Amino acid sequence: MVSIKDVARCAGVAISTVSKVLNDYPNVSEETRERVNRAVEELNFVPNSVAAALSSKQAGRVALLVDINSKTSAIDEINMQHITGALNRAMELNLDVITLFSFMYRNMTVEELIRYLKSQSIAGIIIYGMSKEDKVLHKLVETQEFKCVVVNAPLVNKSTSSVGIDDRKAQYDVARKTIEENNCKRVLYIAGKRNGYVTDERLLGMEQLAKELGLTVLVRNGEFSELLARNITMKYAKNKDVVVCASDLMAIGAMKALIDMDIFRPVCGFDGIVLMGYVGKQMNTVRQNFAEVSRNAMEELHTLLAGGEGRKVVLPHQLVRMKYEDIIC
Amino acid sequence: MVSIKDVARCAGVAISTVSKVLNDYPNVSEETRERVNRAVEELNFVPNSVAAALSSKQAGRVALLVDINSKTSAIDEINMQHITGALNRAMELNLDVITLFSFMYRNMTVEELIRYLKSQSIAGIIIYGMSKEDKVLHKLVETQEFKCVVVNAPLVNKSTSSVGIDDRKAQYDVARKTIEENNCKRVLYIAGKRNGYVTDERLLGMEQLAKELGLTVLVRNGEFSELLARNITMKYAKNKDVVVCASDLMAIGAMKALIDMDIFRPVCGFDGIVLMGYVGKQMNTVRQNFAEVSRNAMEELHTLLAGGEGRKVVLPHQLVRMKYEDIIC
DNA sequence: TTGTAGGCGTTATCAT
DNA sequence: ATGATAACGCCTACAA
C-alpha cells in the first residue's frame, strides 16, 4: 500500500508537508504543493481514511440512522433514496459513511449509542424518520456530542440542523388542488402516526385549508398503515366527498377500499412513491425528492462539521399526478 | 473516550493483556481474563474499530457493492433487503461495513477501485447484482486481493464464494406449477438481461421443463424491464397459453398488458417482491428471501476472512402466490 | 516555509 | 502467563 510516506519520499519533502498539501493548509509554497501533487498522481496515492479518522478526532466519519420499523417494504423506496442521496454527496465530499438501521440500535441506551458511535470515530449523524417518541434519539441530539442533521423533524440547536420540505404547505397544496378539482365539501382526512412531527404539520395544513374553504373535516389516525387506511375508508368514506391521506401508502389503501366498495371518491396522497402508479387510478400527491433532500442533509452536515451552526433548511416540493405510464420503464 | 489503556489500568494489567482478552487469545489465565472483563463492564468500554482496522490489516472491515443501475425503484426492495440482511449479521459478527453503490465506482478502473478499497482498509467484499459484463468487478474478483462473496453469480475461487438460490431449479419449479395448474402447451418466456448469470440459469430451467413436458417455447429478452415485457406480451401472448417471466417486474408488465388486451393468460414471475400484490391478479412466483440470502453472504464472508476457502453456497427457495391481502399491513 | 516528533487506539512480536 | 514496545498511516503542535 502506498502511503503518505512514499509520497513524501517521492516528492522529496517531509511527511507533514504532504499532509498539509493534502488538507489544503496554508503556508505551503506553490512549488512544493505542485511537487507533492505530482507525486500523488504518479504513485496513485489515496489517503487512508481509517488512519485519518483515528488521527484527527474531527475527521469526516458520518453515520446514517435509518428508521426501518415498518414491515411495509414500499417504504424501502424512500429509505433507499435517502441512502443513495446521502452516499452520493458524501463521496463527493470525501466523507466516510456508515449506515445504521434502527434494529441495530433499538436496544441501546443513549450512553451506549454514543459510546458506539464514538468507538467508530463518528463525528456527524443524519437521522431519518424520527418521531416524537424516539427518546433515545432525542437525547442523542440534545447532548450535542455530535453534529446532527434531522430529516423531516423540526429539531434545531447549535449543532443540529433540520432538513425537509414544508409539510404544512405541501399538505395544504395537494389537498386544495384535489378538492377544487372535484368541488368537495366534506373531507375524510386520514392522518399519520399519532405524535409524529410530520403528522401534526400536515394536519395543520389540512385544518388551515378547511377553515379557508369552509370544509367539514373528519380526522382519523391511519398510523401510516395501508390496512388501517383501508378500514377507515370502508367505515367513513361513503358520506364524504374526498379522502385526503397523509401518505401515499394510506392513499393506496383508501383507493383500493373505494374500488372494492364500488364507489368513487377522489383520493390524494403524500410522498410520490412509485407504488402509486400501480393502483389503476390516478391520484394527486406531493412529490418529495428524497434523494435530493438527503443530499442536502449531507451537505448541511458537512457545513456543520466545518463549524457552521444548526439551522432549519426548507426544500421545495412538487405536486404531481402519478400514473402507470410514467412509472414503467 | 475510554480506551484500552483505561481498561488496562483499571484491571491492573498491561495493555497487551487486555487486547489478548478482547480478542480471545490463548495464554491468558482465567483470573486475569475475568478481571479484565469486569473492568470492561465497569468502564463500559467499547473497542475502537477504527484503530483496530488500522492496526491489524486483516481486520473486519467489509464493503457491500450494490448495483443500482435501474431506475425502477421496485428494485429498491431487493437492495434494501440485501443491505439490511448483511448489516444485521455484520453487527452480530462485529464487522464494520461500508456500502458502495454502483454509481460510486462506475467510473473507476480495477486499480482505482482496489486502491480505494485498500485505502478504506477493506478486507472483504460482498457483490450484489453482478452481470457477466462487469469487467471491473470480474477483474476485482480475479485478483483475489480481497475475500469476496458474490450473490447470485457463480464465481468461485480460493478466496471467493458464491451465494444464492438454485435459479435453474426455481424457474423450473414455478413454471411447472403454473403450467400444470392451467394445462398449457405454448409458452411465452420473457427472459432477463442478455448475458446475465441468472438469466441463463433460469432459461435453462425453462428449457429443461419444455423438453420434459413437450412444450413449445418462444423466448424473448425482456431485459428485466417492465415496459419491454409489456410490449413483448402485447406482441406475442395472444396465441400462447401462458407467460413465464424471469422476474416479477416483467410479470407485472405482462399481466398489465394482458389486462389491457382484455385476454386472460396465466403469468408467473420470479423474486417475490411486494409489488406483486398490487396488480390485482394473483401470480405464482419464486420467493427469494433476499435478507436471508444476504445474511448468509455475510456469514460466508466471515468464514472466508477467518481463512476458509471459497465455495458455492446454495440456499432454498419457495413457491408462493402473492395477493394483496397478504401484503397489506 | 519546512521538518521533527508525539500521539490517536489497537494489534502483534518479543522478551521476561 | 504477562508486559514492553514497535508498528499501522495520518494529523498537528512546535521547532528550525
Side-chain angles (χ1 to χ4, degrees):
Chain A
M1 149 164 282
V2 31
S3 82
I4 195 175
K5 199 192 292 180
D6 304 308
V7 177
R9 194 182 316 127
C10 172
V13 298
I15 292 182
S16 58
T17 307
V18 177
S19 178
K20 282 170 194 160
V21 172
L22 292 175
N23 296 292
D24 275 329
Y25 272 53
N27 294 336
V28 178
S29 75
E30 205 38 59
E31 192 206 323
T32 340
R33 193 179 294 278
E34 273 219 3
R35 211 135 42 90
V36 169
N37 281 327
R38 251 205 310 278
V40 168
E41 286 288 319
E42 191 177 323
L43 300 176
N44 273 316
F45 168 73
V46 180
N48 184 322
S49 68
V50 174
L54 177 60
S55 182
S56 78
K57 300 274 73 183
Q58 50 174 333
R61 275 176 68 88
V62 157
L64 267 34
L65 302 195
V66 182
D67 187 41
I68 269 262
N69 54 10
S70 50
K71 289 144 252 165
T72 334
S73 27
I75 311 296
D76 288 346
E77 178 187 343
I78 298 178
N79 286 325
M80 204 65 193
Q81 299 286 327
H82 276 150
I83 296 175
T84 54
L87 288 192
N88 203 322
R89 188 76 190 113
M91 163 145 267
E92 295 169 5
L93 294 171
N94 243 301
L95 294 174
D96 235 30
V97 178
I98 72 172
T99 308
L100 297 182
F101 292 114
S102 45
F103 60 78
M104 299 164 82
Y105 54 85
R106 178 108 317 159
N107 299 320
M108 296 189 190
T109 65
V110 212
E111 293 78 21
E112 286 169 336
L113 183 52
I114 291 177
R115 267 198 304 279
Y116 176 72
L117 292 170
K118 294 211 161 174
S119 83
Q120 297 274 4
S121 300
I122 296 297
I125 302 174
I126 301 181
I127 304 179
Y128 301 92
M130 182 169 176
S131 86
K132 288 186 183 172
E133 286 149 345
D134 283 322
K135 302 283 182 210
V136 170
L137 293 185
H138 270 92
K139 284 195 215 153
L140 180 65
V141 169
E142 277 164 21
T143 63
Q144 305 202 24
E145 295 260 8
F146 307 92
K147 303 292 182 182
C148 293
V149 173
V150 184
V151 174
N152 277 333
L155 263 51
V156 172
N157 61 37
K158 194 138 182 282
S159 47
T160 307
S161 286
S162 84
V163 172
I165 65 168
D166 183 338
D167 283 279
R168 190 186 309 191
K169 177 150 193 330
Q171 181 67 87
Y172 175 97
D173 288 345
V174 71
R176 170 155 210 157
K177 179 170 183 219
T178 309
I179 285 168
E180 290 187 337
E181 278 172 358
N182 296 276
N183 212 352
C184 311
K185 277 295 167 195
R186 300 165 303 170
V187 178
L188 171 58
Y189 182 75
I190 306 185
K193 207 165 54 173
R194 227 175 294 262
N195 271 323
Y197 288 115
V198 294
T199 299
D200 293 355
E201 278 300 308
R202 292 175 193 175
L203 185 54
L204 285 173
M206 184 67 235
E207 285 170 347
Q208 184 190 333
L209 178 65
K211 198 153 63 181
E212 285 183 23
L213 300 186
L215 310 168
T216 71
V217 181
L218 175 66
V219 178
R220 283 292 173 270
N221 272 93
E223 306 286 331
F224 291 127
S225 149
E226 190 172 348
L227 182 56
L228 258 178
R230 177 186 174 83
N231 295 340
I232 291 169
T233 304
M234 292 272 190
K235 195 159 171 191
Y236 300 107
K238 194 138 192 191
N239 61 348
K240 298 287 177 281
D241 305 320
V242 60
V243 184
V244 176
C245 299
S247 82
D248 282 349
L249 215 53
M250 296 196 295
I252 291 168
M255 182 55 91
K256 289 239 176 204
L258 290 167
I259 293 174
D260 288 354
M261 294 161 74
D262 205 27
I263 63 177
F264 172 77
R265 297 289 182 277
V267 175
C268 66
F270 201 115
D271 282 340
I273 62 176
V274 168
L275 197 53
M276 285 291 266
Y278 288 85
V279 187
K281 302 276 182 195
Q282 291 183 27
M283 291 181 260
N284 289 323
T285 189
V286 174
R287 173 154 163 63
Q288 304 196 49
N289 191 332
F290 294 106
E292 193 55 30
V293 169
S294 195
R295 261 187 85 84
N296 276 277
M298 185 58 79
E299 185 69 42
E300 181 64 19
L301 184 54
H302 185 239
T303 73
L304 238 38
L305 287 171
E309 290 223 344
R311 58 178 182 147
K312 178 167 184 175
V313 179
V314 177
L315 299 172
H317 62 267
Q318 214 183 345
L319 297 192
V320 295
R321 229 178 146 68
M322 309 273 293
K323 48 181 187 218
Y324 184 60
E325 297 76 48
D326 298 338
I327 298 305
I328 192 174
C329 62
Chain B
M1 151 165 282
V2 31
S3 81
I4 196 175
K5 200 191 291 183
D6 304 308
V7 177
R9 193 182 315 127
C10 172
V13 298
I15 291 182
S16 52
T17 307
V18 177
S19 178
K20 281 170 194 161
V21 173
L22 292 176
N23 296 291
D24 275 330
Y25 274 50
N27 293 336
V28 179
S29 75
E30 206 39 59
E31 193 205 323
T32 345
R33 193 177 296 278
E34 274 217 3
R35 213 136 40 91
V36 170
N37 282 328
R38 252 203 311 278
V40 168
E41 286 289 320
E42 190 177 323
L43 300 177
N44 273 316
F45 167 74
V46 180
N48 183 322
S49 68
V50 174
L54 177 60
S55 181
S56 79
K57 300 274 74 184
Q58 50 175 331
R61 274 176 70 87
V62 157
L64 268 33
L65 301 195
V66 182
D67 187 41
I68 269 259
N69 53 11
S70 50
K71 290 143 254 166
T72 335
S73 29
I75 310 296
D76 288 346
E77 178 186 344
I78 298 178
N79 286 325
M80 205 64 195
Q81 299 287 326
H82 277 149
I83 296 175
T84 54
L87 287 192
N88 202 323
R89 188 73 189 116
M91 164 146 266
E92 295 169 5
L93 294 171
N94 244 299
L95 293 175
D96 235 32
V97 178
I98 73 172
T99 308
L100 297 182
F101 292 114
S102 45
F103 61 77
M104 300 163 80
Y105 54 85
R106 178 107 318 161
N107 298 321
M108 295 190 191
T109 64
V110 212
E111 292 78 21
E112 286 170 337
L113 183 52
I114 291 177
R115 266 197 306 279
Y116 176 73
L117 293 170
K118 293 212 161 172
S119 83
Q120 296 274 4
S121 300
I122 296 297
I125 302 174
I126 302 181
I127 303 178
Y128 301 91
M130 182 169 175
S131 86
K132 288 185 182 171
E133 286 149 347
D134 283 323
K135 301 285 181 207
V136 169
L137 293 185
H138 270 91
K139 284 195 215 152
L140 179 66
V141 168
E142 277 164 19
T143 64
Q144 304 202 23
E145 294 260 10
F146 307 91
K147 303 292 183 182
C148 294
V149 173
V150 184
V151 174
N152 278 333
L155 263 51
V156 173
N157 61 38
K158 196 141 182 282
S159 47
T160 308
S161 286
S162 83
V163 173
I165 66 168
D166 184 338
D167 283 279
R168 191 186 309 192
K169 179 152 192 325
Q171 182 66 87
Y172 176 98
D173 288 345
V174 71
R176 170 156 211 154
K177 181 171 181 219
T178 308
I179 285 167
E180 290 186 337
E181 277 172 359
N182 296 278
N183 210 353
C184 310
K185 277 297 167 193
R186 298 166 305 171
V187 178
L188 171 58
Y189 182 75
I190 306 185
K193 207 165 54 174
R194 229 175 294 264
N195 271 324
Y197 287 115
V198 295
T199 298
D200 293 355
E201 278 300 307
R202 291 175 193 175
L203 184 54
L204 286 173
M206 186 66 235
E207 285 170 346
Q208 183 189 336
L209 178 65
K211 199 152 67 182
E212 283 183 24
L213 299 186
L215 310 168
T216 70
V217 182
L218 175 66
V219 178
R220 282 292 173 270
N221 272 92
E223 306 288 330
F224 292 128
S225 148
E226 189 172 348
L227 182 56
L228 259 178
R230 177 186 174 83
N231 295 340
I232 291 170
T233 303
M234 292 275 191
K235 193 157 172 192
Y236 300 107
K238 195 141 193 188
N239 61 347
K240 297 287 177 282
D241 304 321
V242 60
V243 184
V244 177
C245 298
S247 83
D248 281 351
L249 215 53
M250 295 196 295
I252 291 168
M255 180 57 91
K256 288 240 175 201
L258 290 168
I259 293 174
D260 287 355
M261 295 162 73
D262 205 28
I263 64 177
F264 173 77
R265 299 288 181 277
V267 176
C268 68
F270 200 114
D271 282 339
I273 62 176
V274 167
L275 198 53
M276 286 290 266
Y278 288 85
V279 187
K281 303 276 181 194
Q282 290 183 26
M283 292 181 259
N284 289 323
T285 191
V286 174
R287 173 156 162 62
Q288 303 194 53
N289 190 331
F290 294 105
E292 193 56 30
V293 168
S294 195
R295 261 187 85 84
N296 275 276
M298 185 58 80
E299 185 69 43
E300 181 64 19
L301 185 54
H302 185 240
T303 74
L304 238 38
L305 287 171
E309 291 223 344
R311 58 178 182 147
K312 179 168 184 173
V313 179
V314 177
L315 299 172
H317 61 267
Q318 214 182 347
L319 297 191
V320 295
R321 230 178 145 68
M322 309 274 291
K323 49 182 187 217
Y324 184 62
E325 296 77 48
D326 298 338
I327 298 306
I328 193 174
C329 62

